[in-house]
Amino acid sequence: QVQLVESGGGLVQAGGSLRLSCVVSGLASGRTLNNYAMGWFRQAPGKERLFVAANRWRDGRRTYYADSVQGRFTFSRDNAKNTVYLQMNSLKPEDTAVYYCVAGMGLITSSIQIGAAYDYWGQGTQVTVSS
């Protein structure tokens, strides 16, 4: 069973930075992190869960970002360490949310920003940005 464990959340002032990490374990036999689309979603209190960023290794390492974080957040992955990261810079109060790491296989381009397309979710890590 694939498990995702996030870390790195916390309280930061507006304009600050945080780096989230997600360690992946339990990959199926013969599979590596290369085989999985990896991404991040977030959910603010009382709001729906929203796409943040995702990457499919087979896409020539193309990364997709939500418009709201483009230019401020950077997704990266270290397949050798089974870990993905989300570097978040220039944080705003509206970035406050629980951030979830996700993994899935066989995603097509049109589904990369859809939460239901991912097979595995982490437990989430809280990010709070004060004004």
Side-chain angles (χ1 to χ4, degrees), residues 53-56 59 61-65 70 74-76:
N55 166 272
R56 290 188 308 181
D59 270 354
R61 309 178 189 181
R62 177 181 176 179
T63 301
Y64 303 80
Y65 293 98
Q70 182 77 47
T74 302
F75 176 99
S76 62

Side-chain angles (χ1 to χ4, degrees), residues 75-118:
F75 176 99
S76 62
R77 61 196 291 167
D78 185 335
N79 290 332
K81 295 182 178 180
N82 285 352
T83 302
V84 299
Y85 305 95
L86 186 68
Q87 177 66 43
M88 305 185 295
N89 298 329
S90 302
L91 283 162
K92 305 175 181 180
E94 51 264 43
D95 294 319
T96 294
V98 177
Y99 283 71
Y100 297 91
C101 179
V102 296
M105 294 184 66
L107 273 73
I108 59 177
T109 302
S110 60
S111 65
I112 201 82
Q113 300 188 28
I114 300 174
Y118 292 85

